[in-house]
Amino acid sequence: RKEVEQDPGPFNVPEGATVAFNCTYSNSASQSFFWYRQDCRKEPKLLMSVYSSGNEDGRFTAQLNRASQYISLLIRDSKLSDSATYLCVVNRISSGNTPLVFGKGTRLSVIA
Amino acid sequence: DTGVSQNPRHKITKRGQNVTFRCDPISEHNRLYWYRQTLGQGPEFLTYFQNEAQLEKSRLLSDRFSAERPKGSFSTLEIQRTEQGDSAMYLCASTPGQWGNEKLFFGSGTQLSVL
């Protein structure tokens, strides 16, 4: 099983739609979770951290399910500017080290 | 500009040659990561440093790859005897903390093309 798995998409949705992405992780000891956004030919940038209680930032909601080892990102009222690749990031716990590991990303295209 | 700086931005080399990339992290950031990204894939973890100590190196990384971070400041990534499969974007990122739960600040990357 891969450390971090995401549905690669692409997700093609109309403006105003609600879209959800899921990500699963293999290391049950992982403690830190994030969603990053990457625009074409740009470096990744932090979208939001994911907390156990779930968190919301405007149109974006992130949730964590530790029992099932998955993280979700919900985008409401999609905008054209939301078109990007969304990367799930988890810190891998191994021998005291905690590197941050990325999933392959889920591509979103919001269509007018 | 006080962000993460990577040089060069682009590198074209012939198969078999050695290349070296440099990353200057944000000042006083303790952790420095190297990732590799190919088209349509997420960044693949290569290695990371806590100050000058290299804490982990990916099992996927062959012995042709070596990274250093002398004095815990800038870092270099060297690839010896390059192969066409090494062609990718090499990304460097830094974070201020020590626990793997902080925001990553990325540089713009070095695009390597091996002919």
Side-chain angles (χ1 to χ4, degrees):
Chain A
R1 182 179 176 184
K2 292 183 179 177
E3 289 185 278
V4 182
E5 290 199 75
Q6 295 183 248
D7 181 342
F11 284 63
N12 298 314
V13 303
E15 272 187 293
T18 295
V19 61
F21 307 137
N22 288 328
C23 166
T24 59
Y25 60 96
S26 61
N27 190 326
S28 60
S30 294
Q31 297 178 355
S32 299
F33 311 91
F34 309 89
W35 284 101
Y36 276 71
R37 171 193 169 128
Q38 186 172 28
D39 294 298
C40 189
R41 300 183 187 280
K42 297 285 188 181
E43 69 273 19
K45 292 186 178 178
L46 179 66
L47 178 65
M48 57 197 305
S49 302
V50 185
Y51 303 117
S52 297
S53 55
N55 49 301
E56 190 173 307
D57 182 3
R59 298 181 293 108
F60 298 84
T61 300
Q63 291 193 318
L64 167 63
N65 184 319
R66 286 190 182 275
S68 301
Q69 293 179 212
Y70 83 79
I71 308 148
S72 64
L73 176 68
L74 183 76
I75 306 176
R76 292 181 299 277
D77 188 23
S78 299
K79 311 289 184 191
L80 293 175
S81 57
D82 294 334
S83 297
T85 296
Y86 291 84
L87 298 159
C88 176
V89 183
V90 175
N91 74 330
R92 165 164 36 91
I93 311 294
S94 64
S95 304
N97 295 327
T98 57
L100 290 166
V101 181
F102 283 74
K104 291 188 174 183
T106 298
R107 193 153 57 91
L108 171 66
S109 291
V110 180
I111 305 162
Chain B
D1 185 350
T2 56
V4 178
S5 176
Q6 290 189 247
N7 289 289
R9 290 294 303 275
H10 304 275
K11 179 69 177 179
I12 299 174
T13 191
K14 292 183 178 179
R15 189 175 52 186
Q17 297 294 305
N18 299 343
V19 294
T20 300
F21 310 141
R22 176 178 170 125
C23 172
D24 287 272
I26 294 173
S27 179
E28 299 180 355
H29 273 195
N30 295 314
R31 284 203 169 187
L32 186 149
Y33 289 82
W34 285 100
Y35 293 90
R36 175 173 62 190
Q37 188 173 27
T38 54
L39 199 62
Q41 303 294 314
E44 175 190 19
F45 170 75
L46 295 180
T47 188
Y48 82 120
F49 294 83
Q50 181 74 32
N51 300 311
E52 68 275 10
Q54 187 173 18
L55 296 186
E56 188 169 329
K57 186 175 174 180
S58 169
R59 292 190 304 272
L60 301 174
L61 217 57
S62 77
D63 291 341
R64 297 184 297 105
F65 288 73
S66 63
E68 294 182 341
R69 192 184 182 196
K71 301 179 183 179
S73 55
F74 71 92
S75 176
T76 57
L77 177 68
E78 180 182 17
I79 309 174
Q80 296 182 327
R81 304 180 302 282
T82 53
E83 302 173 357
Q84 288 184 325
D86 297 332
S87 295
M89 175 71 81
Y90 289 83
L91 293 164
C92 175
S94 68
T95 72
Q98 303 181 21
W99 308 113
N101 60 354
E102 302 85 15
K103 176 182 177 180
L104 285 167
F105 293 80
F106 279 90
S108 299
T110 294
Q111 181 67 53
L112 173 65
S113 297
V114 182
L115 304 178

